[in-house]
């Protein structure tokens, strides 16, 4: 099973690079952040209390969840755009800090990799916890300003506000008790500030040739 792990903070280029790399390598791509967003979305839609860790953990075990190239589907609902709303973005870190939810998402991520013969898998804990034996572990990063500017280019908004929101979410994701965003053992830091997609992919391909 061939797994390439891509971790790093919001807006570092993980999705763009992950998808491009998967296409080059003939692997499937999995966005694990979309899974935490999907749990958050369905909990909010059902008006469940997000702070009730057991209720939300149980929800994460019960739902039918599919994340693939066609989009994100939860219990038959197409949630592809709904998981990217500011409301879900503001609430997702709390759901992602729920250990019961994380245990279930990791189980689903490993099952997905088994079913797909590995893949390019992006998130926050992929190289550190979910696939510590991945063939290649990348830690993508970029300056906070650039990350905010990329988000504004994708979805609009005020760059100062988005930079502050990203900083708050990074802090939460990096300081939670269960599998925080850290630099995994053996992972290679790639700073994408000022680099285009092609330059980043070329750099990663040269890393793979060296390995
Ligand atoms: O990458 P993203 O912004 O879509 O991630 C959404 C949230 O989920 C973010 O707060 C970090 C969290 N997350 C996580 O804790 N572990 C992962 N493997 C992926 C995302």
């Amino acid at each position: 099973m061939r797994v390439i792990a891509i971790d790093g903070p919001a807006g570092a280029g993980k999705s763009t690079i992950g998808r491009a790399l998967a296409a080059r390598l003939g692997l499937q791509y999995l966005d694990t952040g979309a899974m935490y967003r999907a749990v958050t979305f369905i909990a909010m839609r059902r008006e469940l209390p997000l702070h009730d860790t057991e209720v939300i953990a149980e929800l994460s075990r019960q739902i039918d969840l599919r994340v693939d190239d066609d989009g994100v589907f939860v219990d038959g609902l197409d949630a592809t755009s709904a998981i990217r709303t500011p409301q879900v973005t503001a609430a997702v870190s709390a759901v992602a800090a729920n250990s019961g939810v994380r245990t279930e998402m990791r189980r689903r991520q490993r099952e997905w990799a088994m079913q797909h013969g590995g893949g390019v898998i992006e998130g926050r804990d992929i190289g550190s916890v979910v696939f510590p034996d991945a063939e290649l572990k990348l830690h993508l990063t970029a300056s906070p300003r650039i990350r905010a500017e990329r988000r504004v280019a994708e979805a609009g908004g005020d760059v100062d506000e988005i930079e502050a929101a990203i900083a708050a979410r990074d802090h939460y994701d990096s300081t939670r008790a269960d599998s925080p965003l850290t630099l995994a053992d053996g992972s290679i830091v790639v700073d994408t500030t000022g680099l285009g997609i092609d330059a980043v992919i070329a750099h990663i391909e040269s890393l793979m040739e060296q390995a």
Side-chain angles (χ1 to χ4, degrees), residues 73-151:
F73 302 86
V74 202
D75 279 351
L77 282 173
D78 182 348
T80 314
S81 337
I83 62 163
R84 309 280 166 199
T85 60
Q87 290 79 2
V88 170
T89 300
V92 64
S93 277
V95 171
N98 181 323
S99 273
V101 173
R102 299 200 71 78
T103 302
E104 174 60 14
M105 293 303 113
R106 282 181 207 133
R107 188 193 68 70
R108 291 180 188 243
Q109 289 152 18
R110 292 184 181 122
E111 185 180 76
W112 179 93
M114 296 283 282
Q115 287 168 350
H116 292 82
V120 175
I121 306 182
E122 70 140 284
R124 302 292 190 290
D125 60 343
I126 306 306
S128 58
V129 178
V130 191
F131 296 102
D133 299 326
E135 170 182 327
L136 179 70
K137 301 191 207 181
L138 298 169
H139 187 100
L140 295 195
T141 179
S143 76
R145 191 71 183 176
I146 285 285
R147 294 193 282 129
E149 284 171 3
R150 286 178 185 160
R151 281 290 141 105

Side-chain angles (χ1 to χ4, degrees), residues 6-11 14-15 31-37 40 83-84 89 91-97 102 105 109 121-126 130 151 169-170 172-173 176 178-181:
I6 305 185
D7 292 297
K14 298 188 300 295
S15 299
D31 171 4
T32 64
M35 298 172 73
Y36 291 98
R37 286 174 178 272
T40 308
I83 62 163
R84 309 280 166 199
T89 300
V92 64
S93 277
V95 171
R102 299 200 71 78
M105 293 303 113
Q109 289 152 18
I121 306 182
E122 70 140 284
R124 302 292 190 290
D125 60 343
I126 306 306
V130 191
R151 281 290 141 105
R169 199 146 61 91
D170 286 352
Y172 199 137
D173 293 336
R176 67 173 176 234
D178 189 336
S179 46
L181 171 64

Side-chain angles (χ1 to χ4, degrees), residues 2 21-28:
R2 187 165 195 211
L21 196 59
R24 296 263 184 133
L25 300 173
L27 292 170
Q28 298 289 303

